[in-house]
Amino acid sequence: MSQLLLTKLVIVAGLFWCLSRVRRAWRGPRSCPTVPLLQGLPHFRWEAELYPLMFVLLTVIGASPRPGWAVLGWVLTVAISCLYDYSRLLPWFYQYSFMFGAMVLCSEEEALNICRLINVSIYFWSGLLKANRYFMESAFLALVTPLLKNLSPGWRPFFKYSAVIVPFWEAGLGLGLLFPETRWLSILAAVVMHGFILLNFSSLGRGTHRTIWPWNITMMTTTIVLFSHAGGPLDILVGQGSPFHWLALGLFAVLPVLGLWNRIDCIFSHAYMTGRHILGYLHIHQRFYQKLPAEIQAECTDLGRTQAKRYLLDLGSWYVKQLGMNPPQNEKMLVRVARDFRRYGAGFDDLSLTVTLMPGLFSAHPPQKVYSWVALFGAEKAADGGVRNRARKLKASDLRRS
């Protein structure tokens, strides 16, 4: 069996597994709102049918030696799905759809090198973008805290200092995959890293994010298959110089540099699970809380004495628990999620949105914005004359009470 065929079959199996874990994002039932990429899109009545169609297309891609039309159908189906709900734009969709395109449009060796380039770029940038103060001091320990509860207290200092090593471990193994002299050491480092991630997101640790397991196993397996026999760094980075190879180099290896300044979504900078997330929190008044469906009420936290008659809805936790994936990693999209709550009969000052933005390189805490009712829904007269229609800055410490 050729390397390219084995890589294709591994990707197809991984996508089958990933898609099976996020069924509710297409088929429901779901209380999390869909967030179209463009406002005013016409109703698409067959949106739910796109989900089984993707399994059919994956089957054809895996079984056919020339799956060109099936790959085209796959890309269009994924594009329409994400167009009608931006939260469906997941990193493995982006990664593996591009790999399928390379398999169809390029020669076998060129396709293999493009797949290698994509994996190298993801490892390198995912590691480098973890090299920020917030990840090292807070985000990493927050990720492994559930796992630490099942280990002896003596492990905590080890994980505390590991937060400094992790970024350079991952970025280094990405670079090491380029060179034949360090390739097998890098493959071993990748297996160790993925093994730890699988442990951390198992029942012993943070048993959330349903696609973490299939995505990591697929990534680890494709790395072993692709780099067991590979050329030198120029073969991987430039290959035969096809337009598709240059496009892959630009999108996966060069474009993520903008992630250092938080100029693009974390999906496109490979910054997933690096602490560079955009998170949203809804502060809900008690009178509006009573109008919400029981499924949403169950996800709300009573703020008690800290904020009388207010409840907190963590949008990230809500989406992960219900759909197995994060909410849209975009500030404007989170504002749309908040505005969707108007359909439950929200009145003036019934809710506000706090958005936690991506941290800077030396930021110990990510910056935050608060969108008041007026900022979300437009100017409305209140008894006190209303409030200014804009988002205000908020210190990170202000949200800790929640």
Side-chain angles (χ1 to χ4, degrees), residues 47-317:
E47 187 178 349
E49 280 62 48
L50 294 176
Y51 182 72
L53 177 60
M54 284 191 284
F55 285 97
V56 174
L57 291 169
L58 282 175
T59 302
V60 176
I61 291 171
S64 173
R66 297 180 180 274
W69 288 106
V71 168
L72 177 61
W74 165 264
V75 172
L76 288 175
T77 304
V78 170
I80 294 171
S81 295
C82 298
L83 183 65
Y84 277 85
D85 186 5
Y86 192 74
S87 61
R88 295 174 185 151
L89 181 56
L90 298 163
W92 39 269
F93 266 153
Y94 177 51
Q95 175 187 359
Y96 296 130
S97 295
F98 212 92
M99 286 183 172
F100 280 156
M103 294 174 188
V104 169
L105 298 176
C106 303
S107 66
E108 181 171 342
E109 189 58 34
E110 184 78 334
L112 284 169
N113 281 324
I114 290 172
C115 292
R116 291 170 184 136
L117 169 65
I118 290 172
N119 274 19
V120 165
S121 301
I122 290 174
Y123 283 128
F124 175 75
W125 283 110
S126 181
L128 191 63
L129 289 170
K130 288 183 177 77
N132 63 80
R133 185 179 173 187
Y134 176 65
F135 177 84
M136 294 179 180
E137 294 184 1
S138 305
F140 181 75
L141 282 178
L143 281 172
V144 301
T145 293
L147 179 63
L148 285 173
K149 293 178 180 178
N150 292 296
L151 300 175
S152 62
W155 281 96
R156 187 171 182 84
F158 170 78
F159 282 104
K160 181 179 179 180
Y161 294 113
S162 295
V164 180
I165 300 172
V166 165
F168 305 102
W169 178 290
E170 188 171 4
L173 78 87
L175 289 177
L177 288 171
L178 289 172
F179 303 96
E181 296 82 4
T182 56
R183 189 162 290 152
W184 281 105
L185 183 61
S186 295
I187 291 174
L188 178 61
V191 171
V192 171
M193 183 191 73
H194 286 294
F196 171 74
I197 294 172
L198 295 175
L199 177 64
N200 188 54
F201 284 90
S202 68
S203 57
L204 293 175
R206 183 179 293 272
T208 58
H209 295 80
R210 300 168 201 163
T211 61
I212 290 292
W213 264 66
W215 184 28
N216 273 268
I217 289 176
T218 304
M219 184 80 174
M220 177 175 61
T221 308
T222 56
T223 296
I224 295 171
V225 172
L226 287 168
F227 290 94
S228 58
H229 299 286
L234 285 179
D235 295 321
I236 295 172
L237 293 175
V238 180
Q240 298 169 5
S242 67
F244 203 81
H245 203 127
W246 286 111
L247 180 61
L249 183 69
L251 291 178
F252 286 87
V254 178
L255 182 65
V257 73
L258 297 177
L260 294 171
W261 295 277
N262 300 327
R263 297 302 182 187
I264 54 174
D265 290 3
C266 65
I267 301 296
F268 302 107
S269 64
H270 319 313
Y272 216 63
M273 297 295 175
T274 65
R276 292 176 181 263
H277 287 282
I278 295 179
L279 305 174
Y281 304 87
L282 282 179
H283 290 259
I284 300 170
H285 195 281
Q286 186 180 41
R287 61 176 175 266
F288 180 49
Y289 169 82
Q290 302 298 333
K291 300 178 184 179
L292 296 176
E295 189 175 10
I296 299 179
Q297 288 183 355
E299 298 299 326
C300 296
T301 302
D302 188 351
L303 296 179
R305 295 179 181 179
T306 59
Q307 294 186 35
K309 298 184 179 180
R310 289 279 173 176
Y311 290 81
L312 180 76
L313 176 61
D314 181 343
L315 297 180
S317 175

